Amino acid sequence: MLLNPSNWFTWTAAARLLDILVIWFVIYELIMLLRGTRAVTLFRGILVIIIIKIASWYLGLETVSWVMDQIINWGVIALVIIFQPEIRQGLERLGRGSFIQRGQTAHDDEEKLIDALDRAIQYMSKRRIGALISIQMETGLEEYIETGIDLDADVTGELLINIFIPNTPLHDGAVIIKDNRIASATAYLPLSDSNLIPKELGTRHRAAVGISEVTDALTIVVSEETGEVMFTRNNEMMRNLTQEDYLNYLRKQLIPAEPERHNWFLDIVNRIFRGGGHK
């Protein structure tokens, strides 16, 4: 039976739309995967090479165009080598189905993070144990993570406390939390040169202000002199925070108040990955 031309046109349009949506989804997930990593900077360089290639082709610069062709051809191999950690991470996330299940346990993970931070802050503040903890938000902290000791550990109050106990190997420097995990300890953060920082505040406070000047990271400081709790973000310094104050702030910053939207497509795919919808 022959298809009606109008039906054929409808199916063709639907297939093209699906094709576009799939490509858009892949590009979006790639951007989310690479956001905040060194890959972003390298991709800017790739963009410059592509622009030079197009310009040389348009202007008839054959030698420049040939050089750009060689860079592009060999660059594919170089990119695989350079981005090997990011590619492995992406494949692992894809294998775990984390692209699909990302939003299902996000709030639970963030509540656990807040609870761990609260227990650590309360313990260290009462005993005047100095601490510097920076939480990655939208802007990546990879260049600062690389200055510390890699941990890739679950965030617990006990671990944070042990890290900052004086005279231990990891107590000096900052702990950086990324994706609800401790990415590194003893990391170096940029110090602020601002004259607005009170003179009584020390190096940890200047580092907290410094990272807030160049990124949108949320940084926590516990003073070893007074036990005072200070937060910084977006070049804003919040001092003398009570437990209620900082818990409200953490929940506001880490758990966006967005209405939950049911995505039937992801729900169906998730059921398939989990082996059906049996409860």
Side-chain angles (χ1 to χ4, degrees):
M1 180 178 178
L2 295 176
L3 291 175
N4 188 302
S6 61
N7 292 338
W8 178 84
F9 177 78
T10 302
W11 281 108
T12 302
R16 290 178 178 175
L17 177 60
L18 179 61
D19 194 26
I20 294 172
L21 290 175
V22 169
I23 295 299
W24 174 87
F25 179 76
V26 170
I27 293 175
Y28 173 80
E29 292 295 345
L30 181 62
I31 292 174
M32 291 299 101
L33 175 64
L34 298 180
R35 184 181 61 181
T37 68
R38 57 190 178 135
V40 174
T41 304
L42 292 174
F43 267 117
R44 292 174 185 168
I46 294 172
L47 182 60
V48 172
I49 293 174
I50 293 174
I51 292 174
I52 294 175
K53 167 62 182 176
I54 295 174
S56 64
W57 174 78
Y58 182 77
L59 297 175
L61 305 176
E62 295 183 1
T63 304
V64 175
S65 179
W66 180 84
V67 171
M68 291 300 104
D69 285 338
Q70 301 307 308
I71 293 175
I72 292 172
N73 291 337
W74 289 102
V76 174
I77 299 175
L79 288 177
V80 172
I81 298 173
I82 294 172
F83 293 159
Q84 185 268 338
E86 285 80 7
I87 294 172
R88 183 178 62 186
Q89 180 185 15
L91 293 175
E92 289 175 351
R93 290 177 59 189
L94 183 61
R96 292 193 303 265
S98 59
F99 288 147
I100 299 170
Q101 301 175 10
R102 166 182 305 167
Q104 296 181 359
T105 59
H107 286 190
D108 290 340
D109 291 341
E110 287 152 358
E111 284 288 357
K112 290 178 182 178
L113 171 61
I114 293 171
D115 181 65
L117 291 171
D118 179 38
R119 282 185 281 121
I121 291 171
Q122 285 299 302
Y123 184 96
M124 293 186 290
S125 177
K126 291 176 182 178
R127 292 161 179 80
R128 297 187 179 182
I129 298 173
L132 178 60
I133 304 170
S134 195
I135 305 171
Q136 177 175 301
M137 303 298 283
E138 296 296 324
T139 307
L141 301 178
E142 291 298 325
E143 62 179 296
Y144 306 108
I145 291 173
E146 292 173 356
T147 65
I149 297 175
D150 292 337
L151 292 183
D152 189 25
D154 292 333
V155 182
T156 66
E158 293 75 15
L159 179 55
L160 290 173
I161 292 168
N162 283 328
I163 288 174
F164 289 109
I165 292 294
N167 302 319
T168 56
L170 300 180
H171 88 282
D172 193 21
V175 162
I176 298 181
I177 296 175
K178 174 184 176 182
D179 296 332
N180 295 329
R181 294 181 64 81
I182 298 178
S184 70
T186 71
Y188 292 96
L189 303 184
L191 298 181
S192 173
D193 295 325
S194 175
N195 295 324
L196 301 178
I197 301 175
K199 299 297 183 182
E200 68 269 15
L201 299 184
T203 304
R204 285 192 179 93
H205 297 82
R206 286 196 170 272
V209 175
I211 195 67
S212 75
E213 292 172 345
V214 295
T215 74
D216 65 347
L218 193 164
T219 305
I220 305 166
V221 180
V222 179
S223 172
E224 64 181 348
E225 300 292 335
T226 64
E228 172 192 324
V229 179
M230 184 185 86
F231 278 32
T232 64
R233 192 183 181 202
N234 294 328
N235 205 15
E236 181 182 3
M237 186 168 57
M238 293 157 279
R239 300 183 60 188
N240 297 312
L241 295 177
T242 66
Q243 183 181 25
E244 182 180 359
D245 290 337
Y246 70 68
L247 285 177
N248 289 335
Y249 184 78
L250 284 172
R251 290 192 176 98
K252 181 179 179 181
Q253 297 299 317
L254 300 179
I255 307 178
E258 297 180 356
E260 186 175 350
R261 294 173 293 182
H262 183 72
N263 191 317
W264 61 269
F265 174 74
L266 292 182
D267 183 61
I268 292 173
V269 177
N270 185 41
R271 288 173 180 268
I272 294 173
F273 273 107
R274 290 190 301 180
H278 300 293
K279 296 183 179 180

